[in-house]
Amino acid sequence: MRERWQQKALSIAISVVAVTMVIYHLVSTQYLLLGPIPHQNLHLAFALVLVFLGTLQKKPRLWAWIFVLILVSLVATGYVHIFYYDLELRSGFPTLADAIVGIILVIVAMESTRQAWGLALPFLAAFFIAYSILGYLLPPPFYIMKFEFEQIVSNMGIGMRGMYGSVLGISANYIFLFVVFGSLLGASGATGFFIEIGKAMGKRLRSGPAMAAVVTSALVGMVTGSVAANVATTGSFTIPLMKRIGYRPEQAGAIEAAASTGGQIMPPVMGIAAFAMAVFTETPYVTVMAMAAIPAALYFLTCAMYVHLQAIKMNITPMAEKSDVSELAKRAPLFIIPLALLVVLLVIGHSAMYCVFWAMVALVALSMIRKKTRPSLGQWLQGFISGAVTGAQIGVSVACIGTMIGVVVTTGLGIKIAAAVGAWSGGHLIVALVITMLVSVLLGMGVPTFTAYVLVAIVAAPVLVEMGVSMIVAHFFVFYFACFSFITPPIAIGALIAARLAKGSYTKTALEATKVAIAGFVLPYAMIFYPVLTLGPTDAHLILSGAISLLAGLLALEIAFVGQFFKKLHLATRALFLVVGALLVGFVMAQNYALLVVGIPLFAFLALWEWKKARTAKAVPVSAN
């Protein structure tokens, strides 16, 4: 009885803190309540308390430890709120009290991140902190000067740098609101729109449910800001549908994981990391959104190729379940109108905070029109609470990564890594790209999408900029690999969740997901060597040839991976398609027309050959009768 009352009291506490956090952020979009640093600090305080309360709800036996953490978090953030102006003035020369508060902030940021996301990010933060303390003992090129402990603490947070830098501001100003918006979409019943799309596509296409997974995950993923949340949300209905019509568990999980990961690269919202990219590169958000459009379209086109070829190979038939076209039309405005309003307001030039506020207002207003889609007060509250909790989890991870940014800036680690990669690559850009890709995937494993991007942006992007790649394209390169680390073994969080939902093998699901998402690993390289993909200047003669070559190359790769074209392919033919894919993608990067001259005729020959074989195989039973 006592435990039940404790859980109820905790639920009320979480609800009050979450709703208060949402109300504060919503009001802040319309009125300037606090300055930049106090605003970030209050955002962090809310986030820390919410994360710790969430842990206490799951593990009530830890109440003493959690109570201490909440208390010291409030004391530390309260100290910053009262003395933030003085802290800025004495940045780099903290008092004893400043240093103690700074240490507390670093500890609670790391501990809350561990509770929310596991050990990966706190372990990395500890490594960076150790480097700032002991780096003077290392040989060149990673040697650094010896810093006083007070300087290190100041640079990581209490000196209004590092933890309180631009990254926490992005979380407080943009990310939190967009996560809440994504949560409200679910509370409003907009997911019913996706279910009806799945039924409609399943009726007309043999790959319908899988194709629906691709479409709906793209739509949901671009506003949720989380691959894990996207897989869990859309996968709960797309994966069972795919399994029901004949896809193996690993295939169903892989398709959902790949499509959900792709939601992070899909404009207009791009899983909220696009706002960070706009800030880091000093590029207008609308420009970032436009640059992302063509690669995103190519990615999802390639995913669609995979699911359709797989459906043909497995002889999957269209679903018998009928879709309710009327219901589809009635639910469509719940998703389309708020998103369209968001995009229009962004294009006009309003701030992202202002835009997402009015998108939420539109969503709430539209959901109230029909009784069938009118959520109860409890459903709205749950949407706010769910969004606030997820936003808080991202917020504490951003605070944790802020400590690492402080180390990178203070020690010059980013410049050292860039110099080291430049030396290891021997000045060859393609080698540097491969090394940067590996670093980006490694740093992105096991952390939230936005955090993964920020981490690789500060460490890996400068490597490419040093070698002559434009800053925005360099950021796109590392951003893609940070996103696709979610389906890259050995730590593929998106594939892990999808495998659990599908009840399949994690390893097989992750490997299959990399086949579905092959474009996600090819397109970043293409962006570097074929700038037209990101609306950059390209020689006129390369525009058409590059587009044809890239499309045909991606198709050839998927044909090789699936082993199906017009009919099932022999191993030798699959190998030839793989060679064709390599030749055509190679042309885009090397711009050597010899590769195109060999690749296109070979692709045409193989396609015609397989078409004739399939036609002959169909004609045999007819002539026999």
Side-chain angles (χ1 to χ4, degrees), residues 22-35:
V22 171
I23 291 172
Y24 165 73
H25 280 80
L26 288 174
V27 174
S28 294
T29 66
Q30 306 301 307
Y31 302 99
L32 185 62
L33 300 176
L34 294 172

Side-chain angles (χ1 to χ4, degrees), residues 570-593:
H570 295 296
L571 186 60
T573 311
R574 291 177 70 173
L576 285 173
F577 271 110
L578 190 62
V579 170
V580 168
L583 287 171
L584 295 177
V585 171
F587 164 72
V588 175
M589 298 179 192
Q591 296 172 12
N592 184 335
Y593 275 91

Side-chain angles (χ1 to χ4, degrees), residues 270 306 349 437 570:
M270 295 171 62
Y306 171 92
M437 174 192 73
H570 295 296

Side-chain angles (χ1 to χ4, degrees), residues 292-599:
I294 296 175
L298 284 172
Y299 175 78
F300 282 103
L301 179 61
T302 308
C303 289
M305 292 175 191
Y306 171 92
V307 299
H308 193 67
L309 290 170
Q310 200 66 260
I312 296 172
K313 181 179 180 180
M314 302 178 72
N315 198 28
I316 292 172
T317 55
M319 293 173 61
E321 189 173 359
K322 292 183 178 180
S323 63
D324 188 339
V325 178
S326 174
E327 186 64 21
L328 177 62
K330 290 174 182 176
R331 286 186 180 270
L334 281 175
F335 181 81
I336 294 172
I337 292 178
L339 199 62
L341 178 64
L342 177 69
V343 174
V344 170
L345 290 175
L346 283 169
V347 171
I348 290 173
H350 291 289
S351 70
M353 297 167 63
Y354 178 91
C355 298
V356 74
F357 172 83
W358 287 108
M360 280 193 261
V361 170
L363 175 64
V364 172
L366 287 165
S367 67
M368 301 301 288
I369 294 173
R370 292 179 66 214
K371 186 175 181 180
K372 192 172 182 179
T373 61
R374 189 180 303 147
S376 65
L377 179 61
Q379 288 173 309
W380 280 126
L381 284 174
Q382 189 54 47
F384 282 121
I385 294 165
S386 175
V389 169
T390 303
Q393 291 173 339
I394 294 174
V396 297
S397 73
V398 166
C400 184
I401 204 173
T403 63
M404 290 183 263
I405 293 174
V407 172
V408 169
V409 172
T410 304
T411 62
L413 181 61
I415 297 172
K416 295 176 186 295
I417 291 175
V421 172
W424 295 336
S425 65
H428 299 290
L429 179 58
I430 190 66
V431 179
L433 289 172
V434 172
I435 296 173
T436 306
M437 174 192 73
L438 295 175
V439 171
S440 299
V441 170
L442 181 65
L443 292 177
M445 286 180 176
V447 297
T449 310
F450 171 78
T451 310
Y453 162 66
V454 172
L455 188 56
V456 300
I458 62 172
V459 174
V463 175
L464 303 183
V465 175
E466 283 285 320
M467 301 195 74
V469 178
S470 72
M471 182 177 288
I472 184 65
V473 175
H475 275 256
F476 263 106
F477 184 88
V478 298
F479 167 64
Y480 260 64
F481 287 114
C483 287
F484 287 98
S485 66
F486 277 80
I487 55 172
T488 307
I491 307 174
I493 302 298
L496 176 63
I497 297 171
R500 285 177 182 171
L501 289 172
K503 296 184 172 74
S505 163
Y506 160 64
T507 304
K508 290 180 181 177
T509 300
L511 292 174
E512 194 69 24
T514 58
K515 297 178 186 178
V516 184
I518 186 62
F521 299 93
V522 171
L523 286 169
Y525 289 92
M527 291 178 199
I528 300 289
F529 298 102
Y530 186 52
V532 74
L533 280 179
T534 50
L535 308 181
T538 303
D539 293 341
H541 64 90
L542 280 174
I543 293 177
L544 182 60
S545 60
I548 293 171
S549 182
L550 188 57
L551 276 170
L554 291 172
L555 175 59
L557 290 175
E558 288 294 10
I559 291 170
F561 289 145
V562 176
Q564 174 72 37
F565 197 14
F566 297 106
K567 61 188 292 294
K568 190 172 181 179
L569 302 179
H570 295 296
L571 186 60
T573 311
R574 291 177 70 173
L576 285 173
F577 271 110
L578 190 62
V579 170
V580 168
L583 287 171
L584 295 177
V585 171
F587 164 72
V588 175
M589 298 179 192
Q591 296 172 12
N592 184 335
Y593 275 91
L595 300 175
L596 184 67
V597 169
V598 175

Side-chain angles (χ1 to χ4, degrees), residues 78-436:
Y79 184 90
V80 172
H81 186 81
I82 295 170
F83 299 109
Y84 79 92
Y85 183 71
D86 295 325
L87 291 170
E88 285 184 307
L89 289 178
R90 54 179 182 252
S91 178
F93 303 95
T95 65
L96 178 61
D98 295 346
I100 292 171
V101 170
I103 293 168
I104 291 172
L105 285 170
V106 172
I107 291 172
V108 295
M110 292 175 65
E111 173 59 14
S112 59
T113 302
R114 183 195 67 80
Q115 292 181 14
W117 301 102
L119 284 169
L121 200 54
F123 179 81
L124 200 57
F127 174 81
F128 273 72
I129 293 170
Y131 176 72
S132 68
I133 298 171
L134 303 173
Y136 73 95
L137 299 174
L138 296 176
F142 295 107
Y143 167 83
I144 60 172
M145 64 176 287
K146 187 175 182 179
F147 292 97
E148 296 296 327
F149 186 71
E150 292 81 1
Q151 287 180 293
I152 295 171
V153 172
S154 181
N155 290 326
M156 285 193 296
I158 198 65
M160 301 299 97
R161 288 180 286 181
M163 188 181 296
Y164 287 98
S166 60
V167 184
L168 187 59
I170 295 169
S171 176
N173 295 328
Y174 307 131
I175 295 175
F176 181 81
L177 291 165
F178 275 91
V179 170
V180 172
F181 176 49
S183 184
L184 289 183
L185 278 172
S188 69
T191 50
F193 169 61
F194 306 135
I195 294 171
E196 294 302 326
I197 286 180
K199 291 179 183 177
M201 296 182 76
K203 181 70 176 175
R204 290 163 177 79
L205 298 170
R206 59 169 64 191
S207 60
M211 204 70 76
V214 173
V215 174
T216 58
S217 295
L219 296 174
V220 175
M222 63 183 174
V223 292
T224 60
S226 168
V227 172
N230 196 2
V231 173
T233 302
T234 58
S236 61
F237 61 86
T238 58
I239 289 175
L241 274 175
M242 285 188 276
K243 288 175 65 178
R244 196 167 77 193
I245 64 168
Y247 286 95
R248 295 197 316 273
E250 290 78 13
Q251 291 172 334
I255 292 167
E256 177 57 44
S260 291
T261 302
Q264 309 298 289
I265 64 170
M266 185 70 179
V269 183
M270 295 171 62
I272 64 187
F275 296 109
M277 194 184 300
V279 172
F280 288 162
T281 62
E282 298 180 350
T283 304
Y285 174 74
V286 174
T287 302
V288 174
M289 184 173 66
M291 293 175 71
I294 296 175
L298 284 172
Y299 175 78
F300 282 103
L301 179 61
T302 308
C303 289
M305 292 175 191
Y306 171 92
V307 299
H308 193 67
L309 290 170
Q310 200 66 260
I312 296 172
K313 181 179 180 180
M314 302 178 72
N315 198 28
I316 292 172
T317 55
M319 293 173 61
E321 189 173 359
K322 292 183 178 180
S323 63
D324 188 339
V325 178
S326 174
E327 186 64 21
L328 177 62
K330 290 174 182 176
R331 286 186 180 270
L334 281 175
F335 181 81
I336 294 172
I337 292 178
L339 199 62
L341 178 64
L342 177 69
V343 174
V344 170
L345 290 175
L346 283 169
V347 171
I348 290 173
H350 291 289
S351 70
M353 297 167 63
Y354 178 91
C355 298
V356 74
F357 172 83
W358 287 108
M360 280 193 261
V361 170
L363 175 64
V364 172
L366 287 165
S367 67
M368 301 301 288
I369 294 173
R370 292 179 66 214
K371 186 175 181 180
K372 192 172 182 179
T373 61
R374 189 180 303 147
S376 65
L377 179 61
Q379 288 173 309
W380 280 126
L381 284 174
Q382 189 54 47
F384 282 121
I385 294 165
S386 175
V389 169
T390 303
Q393 291 173 339
I394 294 174
V396 297
S397 73
V398 166
C400 184
I401 204 173
T403 63
M404 290 183 263
I405 293 174
V407 172
V408 169
V409 172
T410 304
T411 62
L413 181 61
I415 297 172
K416 295 176 186 295
I417 291 175
V421 172
W424 295 336
S425 65
H428 299 290
L429 179 58
I430 190 66
V431 179
L433 289 172
V434 172
I435 296 173
T436 306

